[in-house]
Amino acid sequence: MLKSTLIRAVEAGAEVMQGYFQGEFKISNKEGINNLVTEADHASEAAIFEVIKNDYPDHHILSEEAGEIAMDSHIKWIIDPIDGTVNFAHGLPLCCVSIGIEEDGEMILGAVYNPFIKEFFFAQKGYGATLNDKKIQVSEETEVGKSCLVTGFPYTYLDQPNGPLEVFARLIRKGVPVRRLGSAAMDLCWVAAGRFDGFYEHKLQAWDSAAGFLIVTEAGGRVSDFTGRPYSPYQPHIVATNGKIHDELLNWVNGNV
Ligand code: IPD
Ligand code: CA
Ligand code: CA
C-alpha cells in the first residue's frame, strides 16, 4: 500500500510537470542567485500531497516548498516536487520528481521519475533497485582516474578551501571527466544505473538526496559524508559511488591527493 501510494504520488507530480513544461509559468527567486521556484514546483507539490494525504492523512511530511508538516508518525515522506528546477525553467528535460520514505529514521522506499525521458527509478530497502522495473547495478570501475563522475554546485557557498569549485578544478586538471546535470536526484540514480562511477556534492538538502541515496545503496553502491561515515540526508555533504572508487574519491574531495 505504501509502495502504491508512493508510485501514484510521484506520477501525479510528474504529470503536473509535463503540463507546465515549455509553457508559460510564473518564476520567482529564492535565496542565492538563480535559485528558482516556479508555479509548477508548487502545483507538483500540491498534487503529490493530495495523493499522500488521501491515503495517509497522519504521516509526517518534509517537502521543499511547504517545509515540515510535523505529525506524530513513524513514517516520514521526504519530497522534492521538481528536482532540477533551473533545467525545468529553461525547457531542459533533465528534471524529475523525487520522493523518499523513512520509517523510524531509516530510508525504506525511494522513487525518482523523469517523465520527459521516461525513466522511473525505484528502490525498496533490502529488495534492490530498478529502472523501469529492470534491476540496476552500479559500475565496476576501480580507479577515479578512469571514472566518469558527476557533481552539482549549490546556489551559495562556492568559493572556499575544498569547496565546490576547488574540488572540481582539482579533478578536471587531472583529466577526470566531471559532468554537471543540474539534478542531484538524477545524478544519484545515474550512479545507481552504472552510467556514472561516482557523484559528490557539498550542500544538499534532505529532499534532494533521500530517494537517490536508497536507490544507489540498493544498486550495490556506497553513500557517505565527506569523512566516509554512513550518509545522513540531514547533513550537507555527499559522496555516492560504485563502492570501488569510494575511498579514493574521498581523498580527492578532501584534498588528500
Ligand atoms: C538542486 C539540484 C541541483 C543541486 C542543487 C539543488 P532544485 O535542486 O538538485 O543539482 O546542485 O544543490 O538545490 O533546486 O532544482 O530542487
Ligand atoms: Ca532539489
Ligand atoms: Ca526542487
Side-chain angles (χ1 to χ4, degrees), residues 104-175:
D104 294 321
E106 187 184 26
M107 207 61 67
I108 55 163
L109 286 166
V112 171
Y113 183 31
N114 176 334
F116 307 107
I117 58 172
K118 300 203 169 7
E119 291 198 338
F120 196 112
F121 290 89
F122 175 80
Q124 180 165 3
K125 193 171 171 47
Y127 290 87
T130 55
L131 163 55
N132 296 341
D133 293 323
K134 292 202 178 86
K135 277 250 185 254
I136 49 171
Q137 269 293 315
V138 292
S139 74
E140 292 291 329
E141 185 50 63
T142 56
E143 290 171 44
V144 168
K146 293 183 184 161
S147 290
C148 186
L149 304 177
V150 65
T151 190
F153 296 91
Y155 299 110
T156 53
Y157 159 91
L158 283 166
D159 274 305
Q160 59 176 354
N162 286 323
L165 291 176
E166 202 173 288
V167 175
F168 184 66
R170 190 180 295 140
L171 286 158
I172 293 292
R173 284 204 175 96
K174 288 286 176 191

Side-chain angles (χ1 to χ4, degrees), residues 30 36 41 64-65 79-85 96 207-208:
K30 300 198 279 190
L36 308 180
D41 294 77
E64 180 170 13
E65 311 308 337
I79 301 165
D80 196 335
I82 299 182
D83 187 55
T85 292
C96 56
W207 46 77
D208 299 312

Side-chain angles (χ1 to χ4, degrees), residues 80 83-84 87 93-98 112-114 117 119 121 136-139 148-155 168 178-204 207-217 219 221-223 238-242 249:
D80 196 335
D83 187 55
N87 288 343
L94 292 173
C95 43
C96 56
V97 177
S98 172
V112 171
Y113 183 31
N114 176 334
I117 58 172
E119 291 198 338
F121 290 89
I136 49 171
Q137 269 293 315
V138 292
S139 74
C148 186
L149 304 177
V150 65
T151 190
F153 296 91
Y155 299 110
F168 184 66
V178 186
R179 305 299 186 231
R180 194 269 174 101
L181 300 185
S183 158
M186 284 184 53
D187 297 336
L188 285 161
C189 288
W190 288 22
V191 170
R195 295 171 183 167
F196 293 122
D197 306 297
F199 163 65
Y200 66 89
E201 192 158 345
H202 287 70
K203 198 182 175 198
L204 287 187
W207 46 77
D208 299 312
S209 62
F213 158 41
L214 183 66
I215 292 167
V216 171
T217 309
R222 178 174 160 199
V223 187
I238 189 166
V239 176
T241 71
N242 64 2
L249 185 57

